[in-house]
Amino acid sequence: MVGEETTSLRKRPSRSGDNFEEKEDERKPSEESLGISSNGRIDIKQLMAKKLRLTAEAEELKPFFMKEVGSHFDDFVNNLIEKSTSLDSGGCAITSFSVLEGDKNHRAKDLRAPPEHGKIFVVRRSLLDELFEVDHIRTIYHMFIALLILFILSTLVVDYIDEGRLVLEFNLMSYAFGKFPIAMWTWWTMFLSTLSIPYFLFQHWARGYSRSSHPVVHCLIHGFLFMVFLIGVLGLGPTYVALAYTLPPASRSIVILEQIRFIMKAYSFVRENVPRVLNSAKEKSKIVPVPTVNQYLYFLFAPTLIYRDNYPRTPTVRWGYVAMQFLQVFGCLFYMYYIFERLCTPLFRNIKQEPFSARVLVLCVFNSILPGVLILFLMFFAFLHCWLNAFAEMLCFGDRMFYRDWWNSTSYSNYYRTWNVVVHDWLYYYAYKDFLWFFTKRFKWAAMLAVFAVSAVVHEYALAVCLNFFYPVLFVLFMFFGMAFNFIVNDSRKRPFWNVMVWTSLFAGNGVILCFYSQEWYARQHCPLKNPTFLDYIRPRSWTCRYVF
């Protein structure tokens, strides 16, 4: 035992000596990494060289890190939310498609998933609000402001040279928003009728459904009255006002776009609440699930087209943020005014008197690409970001995902899903999914075709009424080229090359739209007909008008 203790005591100093040597070895690399020379001084050149090498390594890793975060984070969060909120109490995901699986369930149309299993609303900010916190992205915003300043200076300088004075008149703006009081009275009429008629029709139907001895007749009568309201009051009424009072384009746009919005809102309210009443009657419940007027009123102003009794809310209203959003909307309006004043009006007003030809058309399309793209950006930023965020903030509406990163799309199917999420949700849940629910899941192609047709017809209707002529350029681009690109440039395309192709086709398409509709507008202004017939409204005037072309 004594010998063993002596041996162990002898080994202890050696171990401590080994530890001391290891510490010395560890200290040497740290000194070398700091660039400390043998005499204790720091070698600045060595230190700078190591710093540059570390910076270069960090720069090499940065794009990989950003790419991984950008491509996976959004998908991870969205999938997590969808999976967590679509689970029922038993742990099974219930969707409107789950009732269609299996031959036995094809006829179980009464098992439609309840509204809460449709779109999920969560508190989240708009993407641009998050991106503008990054200095690199905010610089792009500053570049657009600088371009607006140059447009203003260019207009002032040209007017001063031509007129000998500063011309601060906004003739184009005042013309576009002419007869504004008529547009506002029409809006108030649409709003009050949408607030009262659909709600009280639904309330009367819901409370009388379970007590009715003929429920089918009861449903048909109220459904017919609701369709009369949608088509007769909201459909034909505003259109008649816009045409009969010859409202200018911007005032017409307010009336027609609000008309479409109110129709979609009223349909969503009825579509989401009717299944609840039917399920309540089937369960013989004494409580009829009729929303309150305040819930319906909130929905009419909320920046969404999907009805819910309650939405996630933010705690406070940032009035400074609201003021900034409305200020940016007015800034975008003036931006578009200067684009039309400096880029569009001279282009179409100075076209020589030559017949409509392929040469004139090609030059017009390429000259229209730049203003067309700028107008596209401004319309997106003004409406989908600023306008909707302003109302969301005033109403404490929590879900601000009105769009997604459509600019990164490598396929047209992804672009259609992310460009305007508000309208896409309505089309997806009420057109696409309901079509599949009715005709079963086997007709996906027909459901997609129906959605494209509805969207193309509504877009062309809005343009035809706002411009006071029918020229189905947008319908052809949307229905044929857009549909074809949706299948050709699909979600399997992931390379950056396809993002370039999407942007190239968007640029060209906006140039075509601006060129064709502007040509037709000026042709109808300079080549009017004394007694126009119905065919004159749908026959292109730009093909025969020699004054402009």
Side-chain angles (χ1 to χ4, degrees):
M1 294 293 292
V2 175
E4 290 177 0
E5 290 178 359
T6 305
T7 306
S8 63
L9 289 174
R10 287 176 181 175
K11 290 181 180 179
R12 286 176 188 172
S14 65
R15 289 177 182 173
S16 63
D18 293 341
N19 293 336
F20 179 77
E21 290 176 0
E22 289 175 1
K23 291 181 180 178
E24 288 293 328
D25 293 338
E26 291 175 359
R27 193 176 300 171
K28 286 179 182 179
S30 63
E31 291 177 354
E32 290 177 0
S33 63
L34 293 174
I36 300 177
S37 60
S38 58
N39 57 4
R41 295 181 179 179
I42 297 177
D43 191 344
I44 301 299
K45 291 183 178 180
Q46 235 180 12
L47 184 63
M48 292 300 296
K50 292 180 181 296
K51 185 177 179 180
L52 291 174
R53 188 167 65 251
L54 289 174
T55 304
E57 292 176 358
E59 289 295 329
E60 290 179 0
L61 292 174
K62 185 190 294 184
F64 295 102
F65 174 76
M66 296 300 293
K67 184 177 180 180
E68 290 296 320
V69 171
S71 61
H72 295 294
F73 181 73
D74 287 340
D75 293 337
F76 169 74
V77 173
N78 292 333
N79 290 334
L80 182 63
I81 292 171
E82 291 177 1
K83 289 178 181 178
S84 63
T85 53
S86 63
L87 294 176
D88 65 349
S89 58
C92 298
I94 299 179
T95 63
S96 58
F97 288 116
S98 62
V99 299
L100 299 177
E101 295 177 355
D103 296 332
K104 295 181 180 179
N105 291 331
H106 278 167
R107 297 181 181 179
K109 297 178 181 179
D110 58 336
L111 299 178
R112 184 196 300 270
E116 58 268 18
H117 292 291
K119 178 178 173 59
I120 305 301
F121 290 91
V122 296
V123 176
R124 48 190 165 187
R125 301 169 63 193
S126 288
L127 185 56
L128 284 183
D129 281 340
E130 296 176 347
L131 292 177
F132 282 158
E133 294 180 358
V134 181
D135 292 337
H136 303 291
I137 304 299
R138 192 162 186 84
T139 300
I140 301 176
Y141 172 76
H142 296 160
M143 292 165 60
F144 275 89
I145 296 177
L147 188 60
L148 172 61
I149 295 173
L150 290 178
F151 272 126
I152 296 173
L153 291 177
S154 172
T155 304
L156 294 177
V157 169
V158 170
D159 289 341
Y160 184 78
I161 294 174
D162 293 341
E163 303 289 337
R165 60 185 179 88
L166 293 178
V167 180
L168 299 177
E169 300 173 355
F170 297 93
N171 295 329
L172 183 61
M173 186 81 75
S174 60
Y175 162 73
F177 286 93
K179 301 182 180 180
F180 191 73
I182 298 177
M184 286 296 96
W185 279 110
T186 307
W187 183 88
W188 273 107
T189 304
M190 288 191 295
F191 167 70
L192 293 176
S193 62
T194 306
L195 176 63
S196 57
I197 297 176
Y199 181 81
F200 289 111
L201 267 178
F202 172 77
Q203 185 184 54
H204 186 269
W205 169 81
R207 292 178 176 174
Y209 176 76
S210 58
R211 300 193 301 265
S212 176
S213 57
H214 301 283
V216 176
V217 177
H218 185 77
C219 292
L220 289 176
I221 292 174
H222 286 81
F224 174 76
L225 293 176
F226 180 66
M227 293 303 297
V228 168
F229 166 75
L230 289 183
I231 299 173
V233 179
L234 280 184
L236 300 178
T239 305
Y240 172 79
V241 172
L243 297 177
Y245 288 90
T246 61
L247 298 182
S251 298
R252 286 194 185 196
S253 299
I254 295 173
V255 172
I256 297 304
L257 294 180
E258 285 296 282
Q259 171 201 42
I260 297 171
R261 185 178 72 92
F262 282 132
I263 291 175
M264 298 171 79
K265 291 262 189 181
Y267 181 84
S268 175
F269 173 76
V270 173
R271 163 64 181 79
E272 294 289 346
N273 285 288
V274 164
R276 298 166 59 186
V277 176
L278 295 178
N279 291 333
S280 176
K282 187 179 298 184
E283 296 171 359
K284 298 181 179 180
S285 174
K286 295 181 179 179
I287 301 176
V288 181
V290 178
T292 64
V293 177
N294 289 335
Q295 290 173 327
Y296 182 50
L297 178 62
Y298 181 89
F299 168 63
L300 289 181
F301 285 98
T304 179
L305 297 173
I306 306 295
Y307 176 81
R308 294 290 183 270
D309 288 340
N310 298 289
Y311 299 92
R313 308 285 286 272
T314 55
T316 58
V317 178
R318 299 170 294 170
W319 291 107
Y321 178 84
V322 174
M324 186 62 186
Q325 299 308 310
F326 281 125
L327 182 63
Q328 291 180 132
V329 171
F330 288 113
C332 290
L333 288 178
F334 282 100
Y335 210 142
M336 283 191 277
Y337 164 77
Y338 283 110
I339 289 174
F340 277 104
E341 189 72 22
R342 302 307 309 161
L343 298 179
C344 297
T345 303
L347 172 64
F348 298 103
R349 184 179 291 171
N350 296 331
I351 294 179
K352 296 180 180 179
Q353 300 179 7
E354 54 181 304
F356 183 84
S357 62
R359 175 182 173 276
V360 172
L361 188 61
V362 170
L363 291 177
C364 176
V365 168
F366 280 99
N367 288 329
S368 301
I369 287 178
L370 177 59
V373 170
L374 291 175
I375 292 171
L376 172 72
F377 291 156
L378 291 172
M379 291 176 63
F380 159 75
F381 184 72
F383 179 70
L384 289 176
H385 180 74
C386 299
W387 186 263
L388 295 183
N389 269 293
F391 275 88
E393 188 67 29
M394 289 189 293
L395 296 171
C396 296
F397 187 83
D399 197 335
R400 313 285 176 88
M401 196 184 73
F402 310 124
Y403 56 88
R404 290 191 285 178
D405 57 337
W406 57 271
W407 46 86
N408 292 327
S409 298
T410 55
S411 66
Y412 263 90
S413 55
N414 184 70
Y415 169 75
Y416 294 140
R417 290 192 298 265
T418 55
W419 158 256
N420 188 342
V421 174
V422 179
V423 175
H424 171 266
D425 287 341
W426 194 94
L427 290 172
Y428 177 72
Y429 288 107
Y430 301 145
Y432 182 75
K433 291 188 72 173
D434 282 358
F435 187 97
L436 291 181
W437 168 81
F438 191 80
F439 291 102
T440 74
K441 195 176 179 180
R442 292 174 295 178
F443 296 96
K444 282 188 175 182
W445 61 271
M448 189 176 298
L449 182 64
V451 171
F452 266 91
V454 170
S455 183
V457 168
V458 173
H459 278 80
E460 190 59 45
Y461 159 76
L463 270 179
V465 177
C466 292
L467 298 178
N468 201 30
F469 59 81
F470 177 72
Y471 198 22
V473 176
L474 181 61
F475 179 84
V476 173
L477 291 177
F478 205 101
M479 192 63 193
F480 296 99
F481 292 96
M483 189 72 175
F485 287 155
N486 184 66
F487 288 103
I488 297 173
V489 188
N490 51 38
D491 287 330
S492 64
R493 316 294 186 180
K494 299 295 184 183
R495 295 180 179 275
F497 168 78
W498 294 105
N499 181 248
V500 176
M501 294 303 298
V502 168
W503 274 110
T504 303
S505 57
L506 280 178
F507 287 172
N510 281 278
V512 169
I513 291 172
L514 182 63
C515 170
F516 275 79
Y517 283 103
S518 297
Q519 280 186 345
E520 186 66 20
W521 171 268
Y522 274 92
R524 291 179 179 271
Q525 295 296 315
H526 296 294
C527 297
L529 299 179
K530 294 182 179 180
N531 297 311
T533 62
F534 175 76
L535 291 177
D536 292 325
Y537 285 102
I538 63 176
R539 183 184 297 121
R541 195 82 51 85
S542 57
W543 296 3
T544 57
C545 180
R546 294 297 184 91
Y547 180 85
V548 180
F549 306 100

